[in-house]
Amino acid sequence: MRKKIVAGNWKMNMTVAEAGALVSGLKLELSNFREVEVVVCPPFTALASVSQALQGTNMDLGAQNMHWEKSGAYTGEVSPEMLRELFCHYVILGHSERRTYFGETDEIVNRKTKAALAWGLHPIVCVGETLAQREAGEVEQVITTQVRGSLAGLSAREILDTVIAYEPVWAIGTGKTATSAQAQDVHALIRKVLAGMFDEAVAQGVRIQYGGSVKPANAKELFSMPDIDGGLIGGAALKADSFVAIVKAAV
Ligand code: PGA
């Protein structure tokens, strides 16, 4: 049985003060919540304070990006060692905003994924097609290429420590959610690709989140699909009540 995992991707939102208020709200409802794995991913500047606030709760900390090197002359970057020091368990890698605005390729995402695993961090590796690619009938090819490229060279042990997030680019921040059937189709495809890279048993063990305009109103239906193991939540993760409702929809 795959345990469902719901992660809040705060993106470039939340000052330290705002993050503190949001986490206080989440703690009221989720401190001892065990049915679903809950992860919050603040911006780098709020990681230390949120890490402290989460101590003793059942929620995990994640980052939104990282460099693959331990340290060095990479101005503006943050390393896996730095994330470990702050008790990060997860790190989002290859989000479509990183791919689109910061030129991240499957090769870069693959380097980061391997580095995260080597440092004992669980990567949340994002894949997803654009609207143009969907309309051109390229979903299968695009997703297969991204999964194979981003996860190349991982061992079975490593892929089981990895979470995949399917986020159709046209659904991110647009209010347009994939239907549960559309999402399920792609999740099943990802599992099929994993079965080809590893084997069926390994593919069945990997958790695959859906992301893209998940809200309290649509979460339950999405999370009830057989291959959808939770969600990566953007906008709706910025308010305690909506994020809590989404987490509870995963039970
Ligand atoms: P959204 O973002 O929920 O605001 O669509 C999801 C994401 O980009 O992770």
Side-chain angles (χ1 to χ4, degrees):
M1 267 300 279
R2 301 183 297 266
K3 186 171 186 178
K4 289 217 169 28
I5 173 166
V6 175
N9 173 12
W10 296 1
K11 307 193 180 184
M12 196 174 73
N13 296 293
M14 297 286 148
T15 62
V16 170
E18 290 164 345
L22 177 54
V23 171
S24 297
L26 297 178
K27 281 165 77 171
L28 290 176
E29 295 278 345
L30 299 175
S31 265
N32 300 309
F33 199 72
R34 294 188 185 279
E35 289 94 329
V36 176
E37 203 169 334
V38 180
V39 184
V40 293
C41 305
F44 289 133
T45 45
L47 282 176
S49 61
V50 171
S51 179
Q52 224 166 20
L54 291 180
Q55 270 178 39
T57 75
N58 221 36
M59 293 183 271
D60 280 329
L61 184 68
Q64 300 174 18
N65 180 33
M66 58 164 232
H67 197 275
W68 56 83
E69 290 289 348
K70 176 178 188 266
S71 61
Y74 299 99
T75 301
E77 293 291 315
V78 168
S79 81
E81 184 179 42
M82 295 167 184
L83 298 183
R84 279 302 305 252
E85 186 188 31
L86 296 178
F87 306 104
C88 273
H89 279 86
Y90 288 89
V91 58
I92 300 169
L93 296 174
H95 189 280
S96 78
E97 288 148 18
R98 304 274 342 148
R99 293 177 185 261
T100 305
Y101 305 135
F102 303 100
E104 291 197 14
T105 60
D106 289 333
E107 196 188 340
I108 291 172
V109 177
N110 184 239
R111 277 173 100 155
K112 293 184 173 190
T113 300
K114 287 176 172 163
L117 289 161
W119 278 91
L121 290 157
H122 296 286
I124 298 176
V125 176
C126 305
V127 298
E129 82 287 354
T130 63
L131 186 58
Q133 289 165 332
R134 176 164 282 266
E135 286 174 344
E138 295 168 359
V139 174
E140 180 161 354
Q141 183 221 312
V142 168
I143 299 296
T144 302
T145 302
Q146 288 180 346
V147 170
R148 287 187 168 278
S150 304
L151 304 173
L154 266 57
S155 67
R157 175 75 257 150
E158 288 174 327
I159 191 70
L160 289 166
D161 279 340
T162 301
V163 175
I164 298 173
Y166 168 57
E167 299 204 303
V169 177
W170 48 271
I172 296 177
T174 59
K176 255 192 180 180
T177 320
T179 66
S180 52
Q182 281 173 325
Q184 167 58 30
D185 280 352
V186 179
H187 282 237
L189 164 68
I190 292 170
R191 228 178 272 293
K192 194 179 90 185
V193 175
L194 293 174
M197 295 172 71
F198 301 92
D199 61 38
E200 186 59 35
V202 169
Q204 286 301 325
V206 178
R207 293 185 294 180
I208 308 174
Q209 297 175 310
Y210 169 79
S213 298
V214 178
K215 307 176 211 46
N218 59 27
K220 197 157 200 81
E221 189 184 336
L222 286 160
F223 297 165
S224 66
M225 301 309 283
D227 287 297
I228 300 184
D229 305 312
L232 183 55
I233 319 302
L238 297 176
K239 291 231 162 65
D241 57 352
S242 54
F243 188 66
V244 167
I246 292 169
V247 168
K248 293 190 171 169
V251 177

